[in-house]
């Protein structure tokens, strides 16, 4: 029973006694006063002892002590909930944190409703209620984030309405209209069937998000007379920057380039920009070097103790792959995964590492990582990245890995008698069925995606989390004429000049698929003539363009383009339709083991009868105990392309030639012939 209940109980006793029973009345009033005084004394003591970090175990001990001292006071429950919030790693943890936070919200609203609704330009009046306003903001922030993190978006919106309806003159630690806009934008692909407050289309939800931001600006202007003179004018003006942050995000998503630039310029001038968001804007603009720089800055500026999705690691991995260095992405993301463990973001980083391994030519390892991501129930915390993008990224990797499994099998078994072996027929059918299955899964996800035109077909978008190479794998084989019209139109209307070369590359691939080599070559050459050609972040694009030109030509032209592809991104060649041409040179003597290695090497899909312009492969064999060291070097007349030493242990001689073949392309496979890892479907989160 709290203080107000006890007062009402005492009042009822007073009304029930005879008028002459003055003594009983006095006793009842004394009891109420004594209880009130004692409780206030306890709460004063609690307030004096509250200081400390929310994530410190001593704070939890204090919280439990405060609850024992006065279970009806909100502060102990608030501190307990905050402690659980910062310790939470999963759905169970955030649900646990929400319980004491719900109690804290109910109790502060019950006991201090008048104080929470107080608005004043008088310093004395406002300072008396400031602490309750600040604590209310903390409670609602933690509770709202708990609900968002476990996809209880209706409850999160309900908390925000509590803040909005109290009409605080300044919303400390909370941000009702801006956060409502964020929730609408984050859940834009859902409808009212998923969450009651949503509209029934992406466009409608984004429009409501924008209206919420307009309401935030209106409220700031409306509250200015109340706050003017009470707070520093610079502080009042900086309140607008939070809304501008979300305005920039939404205009970036809509590819309203001019408006996004306007808001980002304001944020940068006031040193209030998000390095991560600005990097994603630069990425969507095709300005990859700037994007990489700001993603690295985001990592350096990261100070939040919350366990949020670290988008910058994932995106830096993608940019390293664009530069033709997937091994750099591999190193980065491996380190992150080791350090973070199975905390929010683990699934996304598994996807990023799987992508890096795919482009390294490590298909089995890539698929294993993809499967880990599929099994992991990711919490998309502090990000607009949602389960739909997650599912698409996993499905995309499942598909391109199955393609690569098939291609690497052909690369390893280029014997003249290939089709005479029944096992190879079985493999061909099995791979083909797997590829078809995963292509259908991918196509289904894209068909059901209400923002595919805005996010996927635009190739680069703040919400597109697959590479341009994967976007091509999505649209390949589905309506060439439709996509030819689409990308020709985008060439005319898109306001991002650095992205247009990717549209031209797609048009080249589409015309090539249509059998129109002449038109394809024209678009591929436009890519090569782009002013950004020397940009190192265009390495993957240029390699793919040379691949397209090689497929569209024949004879010496085909060989020259294939060699340029090899020089730019050698790991791609074994999994293409091209055959690399080398000159083979053996140094020193060979023995039986060396002979077996060479025989196995020549069974791979490599043409060692190249002309004088082809790179030279130089091999030398050296006995090292029971093992054999194979030194290899791939070079042109001007520079060395690959070099290293492959140690062949006695028990690993069977497939040593195939391992060596991959080394000539910069692919460091450890074993050959193992059964490919079966792709697993993504574990979808259920939205209730």
């Amino acid at each position: 029973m709290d203080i107000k209940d006890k007062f009402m109980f005492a009042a009822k006793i007073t009304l029930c006694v005879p008028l002459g029973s003055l003594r009983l009345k006095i006793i009842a009033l004394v009891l109420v006063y004594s209880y009130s005084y004692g409780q206030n004394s306890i709460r004063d003591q609690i307030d004096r002892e509250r200081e400390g970090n929310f994530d410190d175990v001593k704070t939890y001990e204090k919280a439990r002590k405060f609850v024992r001292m006065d279970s009806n006071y909100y502060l102990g429950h608030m501190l307990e909930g905050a402690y659980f919030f910062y310790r939470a790693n999963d759905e169970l943890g955030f649900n646990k944190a929400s319980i004491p936070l719900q109690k804290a919200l109910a109790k502060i609203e019950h006991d201090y409703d008048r104080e929470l609704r107080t608005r004043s330009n008088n310093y004395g009046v406002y300072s008396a209620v400031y602490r309750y306003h600040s604590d209310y903001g903390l409670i609602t922030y933690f509770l709202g984030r708990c609900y968002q993190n476990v996809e209880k978006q209706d409850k999160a919106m309900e908390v925000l309405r509590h803040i909005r309806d109290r009409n605080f003159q300044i919303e400390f630690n909370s941000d009702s209209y801006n956060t409502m806009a964020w929730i609408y934008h984050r859940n834009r692909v859902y409808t009212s069937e998923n969450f009651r407050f949503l509209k029934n289309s992406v466009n409608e939800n984004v429009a409501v998000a924008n209206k919420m931001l307009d309401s935030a600006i209106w409220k700031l202007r409306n509250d200015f007379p109340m706050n003017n003179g009470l707070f520093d004018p610079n502080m009042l003006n900086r309140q607008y920057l939070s809304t501008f942050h979300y305005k920039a995000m939404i205009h970036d998503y809509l590819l309203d380039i001019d408006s996004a630039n306007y808001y980002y310029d304001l944020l940068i001038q006031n040193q209030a920009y998000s390095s991560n968001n600005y990097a994603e804007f630069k990425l969507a603009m095709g300005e990859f070097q700037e994007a990489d720089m700001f993603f690295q800055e985001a990592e350096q500026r990261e100070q939040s103790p919350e366990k949020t999705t670290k988008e910058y690691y994932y995106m830096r991995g993608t940019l390293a792959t664009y530069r033709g260095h997937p091994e750099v992405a591999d190193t980065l993301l491996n380190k992150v995964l080791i350090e973070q463990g199975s905390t929010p973001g683990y699934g996304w980083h598994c996807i990023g590492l799987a992508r890096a391994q795919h482009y390294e030519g490590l298909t089995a390892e890539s698929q294993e990582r993809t499967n880990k991501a599929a099994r992991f129930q990711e919490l998309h915390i502090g990000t607009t990245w949602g389960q739909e993008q997650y599912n698409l990224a996993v499905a995309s990797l499942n598909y391109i890995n199955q393609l690569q499994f098939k291609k690497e099998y052909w690369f390893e078994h280029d014997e003249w008698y290939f089709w005479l072996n029944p096992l190879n027929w079985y493999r061909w059918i099995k791979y083909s069925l797997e590829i078809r299955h995963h292509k259908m899964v991918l196509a289904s996800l894209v068909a059901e995606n209400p923002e595919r035109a805005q996010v996927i077909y635009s190739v680069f978008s703040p919400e597109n989390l697959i590479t341009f190479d994967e976007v091509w794998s999505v649209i390949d084989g589905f309506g060439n004429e439709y996509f030819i019209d689409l990308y020709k139109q985008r060439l005319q209307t898109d306001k991002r000049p650095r992205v247009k070369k990717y549209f031209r590359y797609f048009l080249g691939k589409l015309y090539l698929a249509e059998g129109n080599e002449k038109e394809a070559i024209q678009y591929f050459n436009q890519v090569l003539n782009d002013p950004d050609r020397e940009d190192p972040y265009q390495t993957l694009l240029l390699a793919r363009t040379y691949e397209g030109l090689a497929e569209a030509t024949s004879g010496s032209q085909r060989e020259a383009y294939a060699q340029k592809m090899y020089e730019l991104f050698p790991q791609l060649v074994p999994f293409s339709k091209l055959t690399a041409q080398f000159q083979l040179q053996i140094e020193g003597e060979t023995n039986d083991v060396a002979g077996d290695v060479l025989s196995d090497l020549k069974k791979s899909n490599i043409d060692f009868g190249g002309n004088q312009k082809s790179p030279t492969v130089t091999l030398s064999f050296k006995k090292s105990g029971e093992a054999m060291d194979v030194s290899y070097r791939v070079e042109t007349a001007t520079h060395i392309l690959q070099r290293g030493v492959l140690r062949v242990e006695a028990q690993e001689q069977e497939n040593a030639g195939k391992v060596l073949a991959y080394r000539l392309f910069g692919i460091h496979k450890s074993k050959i012939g193992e059964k490919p890892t079966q792709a697993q479907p993504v574990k979808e989160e259920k939205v209730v």
Side-chain angles (χ1 to χ4, degrees):
M1 186 180 293
D2 65 19
I3 184 172
K4 293 183 179 179
D5 293 333
K6 288 186 177 290
F7 178 81
M8 293 302 297
F9 178 72
K12 289 177 183 177
I13 292 176
T14 303
L15 293 173
C16 290
V17 297
L19 292 175
S21 304
L22 182 59
R23 183 178 297 178
L24 289 177
K25 292 181 183 180
I26 293 172
I27 291 172
L29 291 172
V30 168
L31 286 172
V32 171
Y33 175 78
S34 298
Y35 178 83
S36 175
Y37 178 81
Q39 189 176 51
N40 286 337
S41 176
I42 291 171
R43 293 186 177 184
D44 288 342
Q45 180 185 346
I46 289 173
D47 290 338
R48 289 193 298 271
E49 297 178 10
R50 66 177 286 173
E51 294 301 323
N53 295 327
F54 288 127
D55 58 348
D56 189 343
V57 68
K58 292 180 181 179
T59 298
Y60 176 67
E61 294 169 358
K62 281 184 183 180
R64 299 307 301 155
K65 173 186 172 183
F66 295 163
V67 171
R68 289 193 298 271
M69 291 171 67
D70 185 352
S71 62
N72 289 314
Y73 192 32
Y74 74 87
L75 189 57
H77 301 292
M78 182 188 86
L79 295 179
E80 182 181 11
Y83 174 81
F84 288 150
F85 175 84
Y86 281 111
R87 292 298 178 109
N89 287 324
D90 53 20
E91 186 174 348
L92 180 64
F94 288 111
N95 280 328
K96 182 179 181 181
S98 70
I99 296 172
L101 291 169
Q102 288 169 345
K103 292 180 182 178
L105 181 63
K107 292 181 184 302
I108 194 173
E109 288 183 347
H110 183 273
D111 290 351
Y112 301 101
D113 186 63
R114 181 178 62 81
E115 289 83 351
L116 293 175
R117 297 182 186 276
T118 297
R119 292 168 59 91
S120 177
N121 188 253
N122 181 282
Y123 176 79
V125 173
Y126 189 75
S127 62
V129 300
Y130 162 77
R131 178 167 63 86
Y132 302 111
H133 289 205
S134 178
D135 284 349
Y136 190 82
L138 286 171
I139 293 167
T140 51
Y141 173 79
F142 290 133
L143 183 57
R145 287 299 299 272
C146 284
Y147 289 145
Q148 289 181 56
N149 294 347
V150 297
E151 303 301 334
K152 295 180 179 178
Q153 307 297 346
D154 281 318
K155 287 193 171 185
M157 288 294 285
E158 184 180 338
V159 171
L160 292 168
R161 292 189 192 103
H162 277 241
I163 305 168
R164 180 198 63 189
D165 294 347
R166 276 168 173 73
N167 194 26
F168 292 100
Q169 63 192 79
I170 285 186
E171 294 179 350
F172 290 104
N173 304 314
S174 222
D175 210 353
S176 61
Y177 283 114
N178 290 337
T179 308
M180 286 180 180
W182 158 267
I183 292 176
Y184 269 102
H185 180 56
R186 184 178 183 270
N187 298 281
R188 63 194 175 275
V189 299
Y190 299 124
T191 68
S192 57
E193 291 185 2
N194 304 104
F195 302 116
R196 293 188 302 275
F197 62 88
L198 288 176
K199 305 302 179 183
N200 292 316
S201 72
V202 172
N203 290 338
E204 287 178 290
N205 287 326
V206 174
V208 173
N210 239 333
K211 287 180 181 178
M212 291 293 176
L213 298 178
D214 292 338
S215 296
I217 292 173
W218 174 86
K219 178 169 171 53
L220 291 175
R221 290 173 178 166
N222 192 54
D223 290 336
F224 181 79
M226 182 72 67
N227 293 319
N228 189 28
L230 196 62
F231 295 95
D232 186 296
N234 290 329
M235 179 264 194
L236 295 177
N237 287 331
R238 288 187 68 84
Q239 286 184 288
Y240 289 92
L241 298 176
S242 177
T243 304
F244 294 165
H245 165 82
Y246 292 104
K247 281 281 190 181
M249 180 190 302
I250 289 177
H251 285 295
D252 185 5
Y253 166 78
L254 294 171
L255 299 180
D256 292 338
I257 307 303
D258 294 338
S259 296
N261 265 320
Y262 170 77
Y263 286 110
Y264 275 123
D265 285 345
L266 287 173
L267 293 167
I268 290 169
Q269 289 167 17
N270 289 277
Q271 288 295 303
Y273 67 96
S274 160
S275 300
N276 191 80
N277 282 25
Y278 192 57
E280 289 178 346
F281 173 59
K282 288 296 184 181
L283 182 61
M285 293 287 290
E287 300 172 16
F288 299 148
Q289 185 173 358
E290 294 87 345
D292 205 354
M293 180 181 72
F294 282 104
F295 280 128
Q296 292 183 52
E297 183 180 271
E299 180 184 356
Q300 294 163 5
R301 293 175 67 180
E302 176 63 63
Q303 295 179 345
S304 173
E306 293 185 41
K307 297 178 177 67
T308 56
T309 302
K310 312 300 183 187
E311 299 176 6
Y312 42 80
Y313 289 130
Y314 180 92
M315 301 310 300
R316 282 178 59 197
T318 299
L319 288 168
T321 300
Y322 285 171
R323 291 201 322 268
H325 291 289
E327 73 283 355
V328 173
D330 186 325
T331 301
L332 170 68
L333 290 161
N334 244 318
K335 180 175 180 290
V336 171
L337 285 165
I338 291 170
E339 290 176 351
Q340 77 169 155
S342 297
T343 59
Y346 175 85
W348 282 113
H349 296 143
C350 277
I351 292 171
L353 178 56
R355 179 173 294 114
Q357 290 171 332
H358 172 86
Y359 284 97
E360 288 181 280
L362 306 178
T363 321
E365 292 88 338
S366 174
Q367 190 57 57
E368 184 178 350
R369 274 292 169 186
T370 305
N371 289 344
K372 287 184 178 181
R375 291 192 297 265
F376 186 73
Q377 186 168 342
E378 181 66 274
L379 295 182
H380 311 287
I381 296 179
T383 178
T384 55
W385 299 3
Q387 193 63 29
E388 282 64 35
Q389 293 126 303
Y390 192 86
N391 294 354
L392 181 65
V394 169
S396 173
L397 284 167
N398 278 338
Y399 174 63
I400 62 176
N401 277 340
Q402 293 307 313
L403 281 175
Q404 198 151 289
F405 276 131
K406 182 178 182 179
K407 290 174 181 177
E408 72 180 14
Y409 187 78
W410 301 154
F411 176 77
E412 296 167 14
H413 300 85
D414 188 32
E415 306 99 344
W416 65 268
Y417 53 86
F418 182 89
W419 293 111
L420 299 178
N421 186 342
L423 176 62
N424 291 337
W425 280 96
Y426 167 76
R427 290 274 190 175
W428 183 85
I429 294 170
K430 181 177 182 297
Y431 285 129
S432 298
L433 291 175
E434 286 289 332
I435 290 168
R436 178 176 175 79
H437 166 71
H438 288 288
K439 180 69 170 182
M440 291 300 104
V441 171
L442 192 57
S444 175
L445 287 174
V446 173
E448 294 171 359
N449 189 327
E451 56 180 0
R452 58 186 178 275
Q454 180 71 31
V455 173
I456 300 173
Y457 300 162
S458 63
V459 185
F460 296 106
S461 161
E463 303 299 331
N464 185 9
L465 304 176
I466 60 178
T467 66
F468 76 87
D469 220 19
E470 292 168 81
V471 173
W472 167 251
S473 72
V474 167
I475 69 174
D476 182 26
F478 291 105
N480 292 337
E481 291 182 4
Y482 169 80
F483 286 109
I484 286 173
D485 291 340
L486 186 149
Y487 286 111
K488 281 186 174 180
Q489 182 180 5
R490 285 188 177 268
L491 278 177
Q492 300 299 319
T493 59
D494 200 288
K495 296 180 180 180
R496 300 170 296 165
R498 293 194 184 182
V499 174
K500 291 188 177 182
K501 55 182 165 291
Y502 290 88
F503 299 156
R504 295 186 177 100
Y505 166 70
F506 276 25
L507 285 166
K509 292 285 285 183
L510 289 162
Y511 276 114
L512 189 60
E514 287 287 286
N516 189 339
E517 287 84 1
K518 181 179 179 181
E519 200 74 22
I521 291 170
Q522 180 181 339
Y523 279 108
F524 288 141
N525 282 328
Q526 288 178 18
V527 176
L528 297 182
N529 293 329
D530 191 90
D532 286 341
R533 176 175 177 167
E534 300 304 319
D535 179 1
Y537 291 86
Q538 309 305 318
T539 300
L540 178 58
L541 173 65
L542 291 178
R544 288 301 193 198
T545 302
Y546 282 125
E547 179 185 21
L549 283 166
E551 291 179 11
T553 55
S554 60
S556 60
Q557 277 188 304
R558 181 183 179 91
E559 294 166 9
Y561 288 133
Q563 184 173 327
K564 287 182 180 294
M565 179 190 182
Y566 173 83
E567 291 176 3
L568 280 171
F569 211 135
Q571 298 96 323
L572 301 178
V573 177
F575 313 111
S576 68
K577 297 177 181 178
L578 308 177
T579 300
Q581 287 193 326
F582 298 126
Q583 302 174 73
L584 182 60
Q585 182 176 311
I586 310 297
E587 292 182 344
E589 297 182 358
T590 61
N591 55 22
D592 291 343
V593 174
D596 291 341
V597 171
L598 285 170
S599 176
D600 202 24
L601 172 65
K602 292 177 180 178
K603 290 179 182 177
S604 61
N605 185 26
I606 301 175
D607 181 0
F608 287 107
N611 56 43
Q612 292 183 343
K613 295 181 180 179
S614 302
T616 299
V617 174
T618 303
L619 303 176
S620 64
F621 299 85
K622 182 180 179 181
K623 190 75 171 174
S624 179
E626 294 186 359
M628 171 76 73
D629 285 340
V630 184
S631 298
Y632 60 91
R633 187 171 67 254
V634 184
E635 59 189 330
T636 64
T638 57
H639 56 284
I640 295 174
L641 303 173
Q642 303 290 334
R643 72 188 314 170
V645 177
L646 172 65
R647 169 154 290 194
V648 181
E649 302 291 347
Q651 67 273 20
E652 296 176 352
Q653 293 175 4
E654 182 181 356
N655 291 305
K658 295 182 176 64
V659 175
L660 179 59
Y662 282 115
R663 289 290 183 93
L664 302 182
F665 298 89
I667 299 171
H668 290 253
K669 285 185 179 290
S670 56
K671 293 182 180 180
I672 299 291
E674 291 188 336
K675 183 180 179 182
T677 308
Q678 183 69 31
Q680 296 186 8
V682 71
K683 180 179 180 180
E684 295 189 36
E685 291 183 351
K686 300 298 183 184
V687 179
V688 180

